[in-house]
Amino acid sequence: MSTTNLYPISIQEMRERYLKLYSGAVNDVMRFDYHINAALPSSYLPLREHMKLCGQAFTIKGAPDITTDGEFEMRAEMLENLPADSVVIFDCTGDTVTAQWGEVMTKAALRAGCRGAFINGIRDTEAILNLDFPVFHIYRTNVGMLGRFRMYYYQKPVRIGEVTVNPGDWIFGDIDGVICVPAAEAYTVLLKAEGILKKEEDIRKMVDSGMKPTEVVENGGYF
């Protein structure tokens, strides 16, 4: 991930402002303004409903594999390379058996300033919850990955569902799912999504005032 800031505001401000959005607004911008399907698979859900995922993608590729040589070393190297304000995006090649993430990896990620993980399987769930680390996952299991699954590389493009995620792309997720926003477009998408939120405030006021749905539409609103 490049350390160069592409945007007219800081990465920290980008995060803070994205976290005030909701994923539906971001998705609408990507669909209607960019004609891009940016939604990651709906099978990935937040560990707790309040959790939001926001940061720049740190991509990892792994798969079921019984070999173990160098596996611990690669995992440790990956964790040492996690940048601040990153989100781990782990392409697990469809694994449904092992936990690729647990308590100790969570602690190391937090120490690095990582902001969350998108992953197939987790274990040590209670510990992750106590650490309040945002995780979007498919399943929980007590099966560790050593000798069953391994990392192959990190910080290269990965494919998650229908979406290609590049290192440094922006990842934003909430209770309704996770969106990948290309790095070059992330600031403009932020502005447009903020505009949607302002528009929807006006629509809510029209509905709350007792205006008929047809009148709301006539006044520029939508449902």
Side-chain angles (χ1 to χ4, degrees), residues 45-52 125-126 129 132-137 140 174-175:
L45 299 174
L47 188 54
R48 283 291 180 265
E49 292 183 349
H50 72 276
M51 289 180 170
K52 282 190 168 185
T125 304
E126 185 174 356
L129 286 170
D132 200 27
F133 185 73
V135 171
F136 281 62
H137 72 305
R140 305 171 198 172
D174 61 16
I175 192 172

Side-chain angles (χ1 to χ4, degrees), residues 9-146:
I9 59 176
S10 69
I11 298 300
Q12 291 74 22
E13 184 178 340
M14 285 274 285
R15 283 196 71 257
E16 290 169 5
R17 289 169 62 174
Y18 261 101
L19 285 168
K20 294 176 182 177
L21 303 175
Y22 68 96
S23 62
V26 180
N27 195 335
D28 285 351
V29 172
M30 299 304 296
R31 285 175 61 210
F32 298 121
D33 289 25
Y34 292 90
H35 307 290
I36 294 174
N37 174 22
L40 301 182
S42 59
S43 51
Y44 292 85
L45 299 174
L47 188 54
R48 283 291 180 265
E49 292 183 349
H50 72 276
M51 289 180 170
K52 282 190 168 185
L53 204 57
C54 187
Q56 293 184 277
F58 184 95
T59 59
I60 305 172
K61 174 70 174 180
D65 193 319
I66 63 172
T67 64
T68 60
D69 53 300
E71 201 278 333
F72 279 145
E73 289 79 4
M74 178 174 279
R75 245 194 286 181
E77 180 187 88
M78 176 275 292
L79 289 165
E80 288 186 9
N81 279 282
L82 278 176
D85 297 318
S86 60
V87 169
V88 168
I89 298 292
F90 210 137
D91 175 2
C92 300
T93 321
D95 186 29
T96 60
V97 175
T98 65
Q100 305 89 26
W101 197 267
E103 178 186 7
V104 179
M105 291 180 74
T106 298
K107 283 180 172 290
L110 280 167
R111 183 174 290 276
C114 178
R115 300 294 188 167
F118 178 98
I119 196 137
N120 279 27
I122 64 170
R123 71 175 188 176
D124 309 328
T125 304
E126 185 174 356
I128 295 172
L129 286 170
N130 288 337
L131 292 166
D132 200 27
F133 185 73
V135 171
F136 281 62
H137 72 305
I138 299 176
Y139 60 87
R140 305 171 198 172
T141 179
N142 50 41
V143 180
M145 63 189 258
L146 186 65

